[in-house]
Amino acid sequence: MPLRRTIAVVALAALSSLVFLSRYYWGGRDNSSKCMVSFGRYNGSRYYKKGETMKTRCLVESKWMQLSQHAVSIGGGKVIPVINDWLFIDYHDRINVLVEAWDGAGDDQSNEKRFVAFRQTKYAYSGESLAIIGGIIEPNEEPEEAARREVVEEMQCECETLVSLGKYRTDVNRGMGWVHSFIASDCKEIMNERGAPNDLEEENQVGAADVEGQERIYLTVSELRDAARNGEFVEVQWSNTVGLALLRIDT
């Protein structure tokens, strides 16, 4: 009798565990919008892959991003078992723009084609890096709209021609949003628009102007190519956009 009772208890425990795991991993998307820790509401898109994302649970969120725990089944669970600790970051999509300098920019009187870059510091990098225009695509804003807005805000110029260089995933396993790359030309300087009203309500705006110090510089095509080759654009999305732009530039 003790043996039978032990077998029954073990079988009941195993069945209970199976029911729990089934509900947790195979119960579909978590309908709860509540995060375990919240520093502000994240209003961006949330990733879910049909047939592979079995369940999600929000761990931490802010207006910038959301860190979630995913239960992931790759190959329908036939290749490997369900991975229940797959951490995934939902982050607002962003734009990068390499801007061709306009006539007279930087007091240069030559006719040589030049491009605008910034020499700046960033929190996650100990030294200096070259950078280009970048920013977050605000909710309900199209990538091209965001690119044009950021050029006005950061450089006080408008560009007639804006060419898309493509859309790229920041991290193909952990998310971190998408980056839309552009190259801008036929630009002209306008009045200083920084701080002027725009169509975005300030309290709902996710992006913000850079607080780190930065110096605007102008690079010829050969200087831009050398900087890219030497790894002076440290962030991968900057180097990606510059590299793609260089393939299109007519020297």
Side-chain angles (χ1 to χ4, degrees), residues 161-182:
T161 304
L162 190 68
V163 177
S164 172
L165 301 174
K167 170 185 174 183
Y168 304 92
R169 192 51 136 162
T170 306
D171 188 314
V172 293
N173 274 326
R174 304 297 172 183
M176 286 297 295
W178 295 81
V179 176
H180 298 255
S181 298
F182 295 90

mmCIF file of all heavy atoms in Angstrom, residues 161-182:
data_model
loop_
_atom_site.group_PDB
_atom_site.id
_atom_site.type_symbol
_atom_site.label_atom_id
_atom_site.label_comp_id
_atom_site.label_asym_id
_atom_site.label_seq_id
_atom_site.Cartn_x
_atom_site.Cartn_y
_atom_site.Cartn_z
ATOM 1 N N THR A 161 15.636 66.079 -51.254
ATOM 2 C CA THR A 161 15.745 64.674 -51.664
ATOM 3 C C THR A 161 16.112 63.798 -50.472
ATOM 4 O O THR A 161 17.102 64.057 -49.782
ATOM 5 C CB THR A 161 16.807 64.509 -52.759
ATOM 6 O OG1 THR A 161 16.494 65.372 -53.850
ATOM 7 C CG2 THR A 161 16.854 63.062 -53.241
ATOM 8 N N LEU A 162 15.301 62.781 -50.244
ATOM 9 C CA LEU A 162 15.550 61.826 -49.158
ATOM 10 C C LEU A 162 15.384 60.426 -49.726
ATOM 11 O O LEU A 162 14.288 60.044 -50.143
ATOM 12 C CB LEU A 162 14.565 62.070 -48.008
ATOM 13 C CG LEU A 162 14.836 61.324 -46.701
ATOM 14 C CD1 LEU A 162 16.108 61.846 -46.036
ATOM 15 C CD2 LEU A 162 13.652 61.472 -45.743
ATOM 16 N N VAL A 163 16.475 59.660 -49.764
ATOM 17 C CA VAL A 163 16.458 58.328 -50.364
ATOM 18 C C VAL A 163 16.581 57.268 -49.275
ATOM 19 O O VAL A 163 17.493 57.322 -48.446
ATOM 20 C CB VAL A 163 17.611 58.173 -51.378
ATOM 21 C CG1 VAL A 163 17.632 56.760 -51.957
ATOM 22 C CG2 VAL A 163 17.483 59.203 -52.487
ATOM 23 N N SER A 164 15.669 56.301 -49.301
ATOM 24 C CA SER A 164 15.719 55.212 -48.322
ATOM 25 C C SER A 164 16.819 54.222 -48.689
ATOM 26 O O SER A 164 16.969 53.837 -49.855
ATOM 27 C CB SER A 164 14.373 54.489 -48.268
ATOM 28 O OG SER A 164 14.466 53.330 -47.461
ATOM 29 N N LEU A 165 17.579 53.819 -47.682
ATOM 30 C CA LEU A 165 18.631 52.817 -47.865
ATOM 31 C C LEU A 165 18.222 51.467 -47.296
ATOM 32 O O LEU A 165 19.018 50.524 -47.280
ATOM 33 C CB LEU A 165 19.922 53.287 -47.197
ATOM 34 C CG LEU A 165 20.502 54.617 -47.703
ATOM 35 C CD1 LEU A 165 21.698 55.025 -46.858
ATOM 36 C CD2 LEU A 165 20.889 54.514 -49.176
ATOM 37 N N GLY A 166 16.990 51.384 -46.800
ATOM 38 C CA GLY A 166 16.493 50.110 -46.287
ATOM 39 C C GLY A 166 16.138 50.145 -44.809
ATOM 40 O O GLY A 166 16.349 51.137 -44.109
ATOM 41 N N LYS A 167 15.595 49.027 -44.364
ATOM 42 C CA LYS A 167 15.142 48.847 -42.978
ATOM 43 C C LYS A 167 15.868 47.640 -42.406
ATOM 44 O O LYS A 167 15.881 46.563 -43.018
ATOM 45 C CB LYS A 167 13.622 48.627 -42.977
ATOM 46 C CG LYS A 167 13.014 48.198 -41.657
ATOM 47 C CD LYS A 167 11.526 47.896 -41.854
ATOM 48 C CE LYS A 167 10.898 47.321 -40.612
ATOM 49 N NZ LYS A 167 9.469 46.956 -40.824
ATOM 50 N N TYR A 168 16.456 47.784 -41.203
ATOM 51 C CA TYR A 168 17.331 46.739 -40.671
ATOM 52 C C TYR A 168 17.032 46.457 -39.198
ATOM 53 O O TYR A 168 16.822 47.372 -38.403
ATOM 54 C CB TYR A 168 18.801 47.162 -40.838
ATOM 55 C CG TYR A 168 19.125 47.473 -42.277
ATOM 56 C CD1 TYR A 168 19.004 48.783 -42.762
ATOM 57 C CD2 TYR A 168 19.486 46.468 -43.167
ATOM 58 C CE1 TYR A 168 19.249 49.074 -44.096
ATOM 59 C CE2 TYR A 168 19.736 46.749 -44.502
ATOM 60 C CZ TYR A 168 19.615 48.052 -44.963
ATOM 61 O OH TYR A 168 19.851 48.335 -46.284
ATOM 62 N N ARG A 169 17.031 45.161 -38.848
ATOM 63 C CA ARG A 169 16.801 44.726 -37.471
ATOM 64 C C ARG A 169 18.066 44.986 -36.657
ATOM 65 O O ARG A 169 19.177 44.688 -37.100
ATOM 66 C CB ARG A 169 16.469 43.233 -37.469
ATOM 67 C CG ARG A 169 15.922 42.659 -36.177
ATOM 68 C CD ARG A 169 14.777 43.425 -35.621
ATOM 69 N NE ARG A 169 13.667 42.623 -35.149
ATOM 70 C CZ ARG A 169 12.746 43.096 -34.316
ATOM 71 N NH1 ARG A 169 12.833 44.331 -33.854
ATOM 72 N NH2 ARG A 169 11.729 42.352 -33.962
ATOM 73 N N THR A 170 17.905 45.538 -35.465
ATOM 74 C CA THR A 170 19.060 45.828 -34.626
ATOM 75 C C THR A 170 19.674 44.543 -34.080
ATOM 76 O O THR A 170 20.895 44.378 -34.059
ATOM 77 C CB THR A 170 18.664 46.755 -33.467
ATOM 78 O OG1 THR A 170 18.026 47.913 -34.003
ATOM 79 C CG2 THR A 170 19.878 47.193 -32.682
ATOM 80 N N ASP A 171 18.853 43.618 -33.614
ATOM 81 C CA ASP A 171 19.330 42.329 -33.104
ATOM 82 C C ASP A 171 18.311 41.281 -33.528
ATOM 83 O O ASP A 171 17.143 41.334 -33.100
ATOM 84 C CB ASP A 171 19.466 42.371 -31.576
ATOM 85 C CG ASP A 171 20.136 41.133 -31.006
ATOM 86 O OD1 ASP A 171 19.761 40.010 -31.411
ATOM 87 O OD2 ASP A 171 21.018 41.274 -30.145
ATOM 88 N N VAL A 172 18.717 40.315 -34.344
ATOM 89 C CA VAL A 172 17.764 39.374 -34.936
ATOM 90 C C VAL A 172 17.238 38.340 -33.947
ATOM 91 O O VAL A 172 16.290 37.609 -34.253
ATOM 92 C CB VAL A 172 18.373 38.645 -36.157
ATOM 93 C CG1 VAL A 172 18.614 39.620 -37.288
ATOM 94 C CG2 VAL A 172 19.664 37.933 -35.786
ATOM 95 N N ASN A 173 17.836 38.259 -32.771
ATOM 96 C CA ASN A 173 17.338 37.337 -31.753
ATOM 97 C C ASN A 173 16.672 38.039 -30.577
ATOM 98 O O ASN A 173 15.759 37.492 -29.965
ATOM 99 C CB ASN A 173 18.478 36.455 -31.223
ATOM 100 C CG ASN A 173 18.698 35.226 -32.078
ATOM 101 O OD1 ASN A 173 17.751 34.670 -32.629
ATOM 102 N ND2 ASN A 173 19.941 34.814 -32.210
ATOM 103 N N ARG A 174 17.141 39.231 -30.244
ATOM 104 C CA ARG A 174 16.641 39.915 -29.049
ATOM 105 C C ARG A 174 15.825 41.162 -29.349
ATOM 106 O O ARG A 174 15.367 41.837 -28.434
ATOM 107 C CB ARG A 174 17.808 40.290 -28.124
ATOM 108 C CG ARG A 174 18.677 39.104 -27.728
ATOM 109 C CD ARG A 174 17.918 38.062 -26.936
ATOM 110 N NE ARG A 174 18.724 36.864 -26.726
ATOM 111 C CZ ARG A 174 18.294 35.768 -26.112
ATOM 112 N NH1 ARG A 174 17.054 35.710 -25.657
ATOM 113 N NH2 ARG A 174 19.084 34.733 -25.967
ATOM 114 N N GLY A 175 15.661 41.483 -30.643
ATOM 115 C CA GLY A 175 14.789 42.586 -31.009
ATOM 116 C C GLY A 175 15.488 43.926 -31.104
ATOM 117 O O GLY A 175 16.257 44.182 -32.010
ATOM 118 N N MET A 176 15.185 44.823 -30.180
ATOM 119 C CA MET A 176 15.718 46.191 -30.143
ATOM 120 C C MET A 176 15.256 47.041 -31.313
ATOM 121 O O MET A 176 15.897 48.002 -31.710
ATOM 122 C CB MET A 176 17.245 46.174 -30.086
ATOM 123 C CG MET A 176 17.821 45.773 -28.736
ATOM 124 S SD MET A 176 17.392 46.930 -27.418
ATOM 125 C CE MET A 176 18.229 48.403 -27.938
ATOM 126 N N GLY A 177 14.093 46.730 -31.878
ATOM 127 C CA GLY A 177 13.503 47.575 -32.908
ATOM 128 C C GLY A 177 14.194 47.484 -34.259
ATOM 129 O O GLY A 177 15.078 46.661 -34.481
ATOM 130 N N TRP A 178 13.747 48.361 -35.163
ATOM 131 C CA TRP A 178 14.281 48.436 -36.516
ATOM 132 C C TRP A 178 14.903 49.807 -36.750
ATOM 133 O O TRP A 178 14.462 50.800 -36.182
ATOM 134 C CB TRP A 178 13.177 48.213 -37.553
ATOM 135 C CG TRP A 178 12.573 46.852 -37.533
ATOM 136 C CD1 TRP A 178 11.603 46.400 -36.681
ATOM 137 C CD2 TRP A 178 12.883 45.766 -38.393
ATOM 138 N NE1 TRP A 178 11.293 45.090 -36.952
ATOM 139 C CE2 TRP A 178 12.057 44.674 -38.008
ATOM 140 C CE3 TRP A 178 13.763 45.604 -39.469
ATOM 141 C CZ2 TRP A 178 12.100 43.448 -38.665
ATOM 142 C CZ3 TRP A 178 13.803 44.382 -40.119
ATOM 143 C CH2 TRP A 178 12.983 43.319 -39.703
ATOM 144 N N VAL A 179 15.906 49.851 -37.626
ATOM 145 C CA VAL A 179 16.537 51.111 -38.015
ATOM 146 C C VAL A 179 16.269 51.351 -39.502
ATOM 147 O O VAL A 179 16.551 50.487 -40.336
ATOM 148 C CB VAL A 179 18.056 51.094 -37.757
ATOM 149 C CG1 VAL A 179 18.688 52.393 -38.258
ATOM 150 C CG2 VAL A 179 18.348 50.908 -36.281
ATOM 151 N N HIS A 180 15.716 52.516 -39.820
ATOM 152 C CA HIS A 180 15.466 52.923 -41.200
ATOM 153 C C HIS A 180 16.583 53.890 -41.604
ATOM 154 O O HIS A 180 16.742 54.942 -40.981
ATOM 155 C CB HIS A 180 14.111 53.604 -41.330
ATOM 156 C CG HIS A 180 12.955 52.715 -40.984
ATOM 157 N ND1 HIS A 180 12.127 52.158 -41.948
ATOM 158 C CD2 HIS A 180 12.490 52.280 -39.788
ATOM 159 C CE1 HIS A 180 11.200 51.423 -41.352
ATOM 160 N NE2 HIS A 180 11.407 51.480 -40.040
ATOM 161 N N SER A 181 17.344 53.538 -42.633
ATOM 162 C CA SER A 181 18.491 54.341 -43.058
ATOM 163 C C SER A 181 18.150 55.192 -44.271
ATOM 164 O O SER A 181 17.458 54.734 -45.194
ATOM 165 C CB SER A 181 19.676 53.429 -43.386
ATOM 166 O OG SER A 181 20.081 52.708 -42.238
ATOM 167 N N PHE A 182 18.654 56.443 -44.270
ATOM 168 C CA PHE A 182 18.393 57.374 -45.367
ATOM 169 C C PHE A 182 19.665 58.140 -45.709
ATOM 170 O O PHE A 182 20.555 58.303 -44.875
ATOM 171 C CB PHE A 182 17.319 58.402 -44.973
ATOM 172 C CG PHE A 182 15.956 57.833 -44.719
ATOM 173 C CD1 PHE A 182 15.593 57.407 -43.450
ATOM 174 C CD2 PHE A 182 15.022 57.731 -45.744
ATOM 175 C CE1 PHE A 182 14.328 56.891 -43.199
ATOM 176 C CE2 PHE A 182 13.764 57.215 -45.510
ATOM 177 C CZ PHE A 182 13.404 56.800 -44.228
#
